[in-house]
Amino acid sequence: MIEAEKRQIIALIKREVVTAIGCTEPIAVALCVAKATEILGTKPEKVNVLLSVNVLKNAMGVGIPGTGMIGLPIAVALGALIGKSEYQLEVLKDSTPAAVEEWKQFIEEKRIHISLKENIEEKLYIEVCCEAGKDKATAIIAGGHTSFIYIARNADVLLNKQSTESGEEQEQPVELTLRKVYDFALTAPLDEIRFILETARLNKAAAERSFEGNYGHGLGRMLRGTYEHKVMGGSVFSHILSYTSGACDARMAGAMIPVMSNSGSGNQGISATLPVLVYAEENGKSEEELIRALMMSHLTVIYIKQSLGRLSALCGCVVAAAGSSCGITWLMGGSYEQVAYAVQNMIANLTGMICDGAKPSCALKVTTGVSTAVLSAIMAMEDRCVTSVEGIIDEDVDQSIRNLTKIGSQGMNETDKLVLQIMTNKVEN
């Protein structure tokens, strides 16, 4: 691998593995509102929000940090009142009890209107228009949770990446394969990838905070308690499940706890990190081994998400757990072939798990994903792999990944629509 490509990959990881507080869809909406408010220059009298189906689905049932409440109107109001766009996915970290009281009034005065953006193919799309008097400011995020493509104040267009004539050069994507991911993780200079340890520090701290509180469905805390010994046996496996689900419990409930996300998802970041970390710590692995295993896990997730897209009908835990299965397999002493086996086993098992929005019960799906990650790694170490005559698995692991992402990004589109229909009907009824 040439030096320029290594630098590209490191830059890619630093873009995709970032700190976030709260579920990234409502937080991205709050970020867009904060930006539009800043451009407007005053507190808005009215906020109109247009969202793609997938953003709306993922923002309906999740806790908003620092409020103890769920719902998009809260995120919108706080984005307008205390949000700072410079904080990116930590946009609401300055939230206070006083701000929470103010947003309640903001909502009661019916200043906020939220609806679907019609006839749009982009699955991650947020359009915000803030108005005060005769002035209005518009901000649009699309394609990525922090990717602004349009900003305007009245008739003055400050940013426009919608136009092909805007003069903006599109960043060339890094072309990855599983082999390239594996080779990079094992050969990159250690000092250049040591930053990945921050994922371990932040996400472990989030899990440990969750054990002290009562967040979401409390799955991590339950597994950490009596059941860990009575049912799970206090094993490395049970610790992987409790730490991963615990961190998810906290962030889905809206705890003001930062986590390290991956490809725009905190749960993906948690699932790519904690199984690898717990396995490494409890098996006495060195810091270098932990760094390289974490890098393999996170970069595998980024690679798969490149073709799946930011949001889809496929639950992100499938992708993230595939990454952690790679990292665990390598820590077990696995070769590249065995790491590839682990991915094949993951795809054969969990493909098709639906995403029905971000919510506290995501902790259950995350736990399903990482438990399958461990089982897939064990199978791989015994040179057991689902074969190409079975289902969607191909001889070539990269083709199997493309089969997975094609199902998630194309084949499940009707599922996505039906899921949203069911969810919105519940709200209306």
Side-chain angles (χ1 to χ4, degrees), residues 396-416:
D396 177 7
V397 65
D398 294 297
Q399 183 58 50
S400 292
I401 289 171
R402 288 190 288 273
N403 294 345
L404 164 73
T405 59
K406 184 180 289 186
I407 289 169
S409 62
Q410 300 176 31
M412 295 175 70
N413 281 339
E414 289 303 313
T415 300
D416 223 11

Side-chain angles (χ1 to χ4, degrees), residues 5 35 109 119 135 153 162 201 206 214 219 235 238 300 310-311 315 322 337 343 373-374 398 427:
E5 191 171 35
K35 175 63 80 173
E109 292 172 353
N119 303 317
D135 294 319
R153 189 180 192 281
Q162 295 174 307
R201 186 189 70 80
N214 185 23
L219 181 58
S235 64
S238 68
T300 299
R310 293 281 176 172
L311 301 178
C315 176
E337 286 71 23
V343 174
V374 175
D398 294 297
V427 174

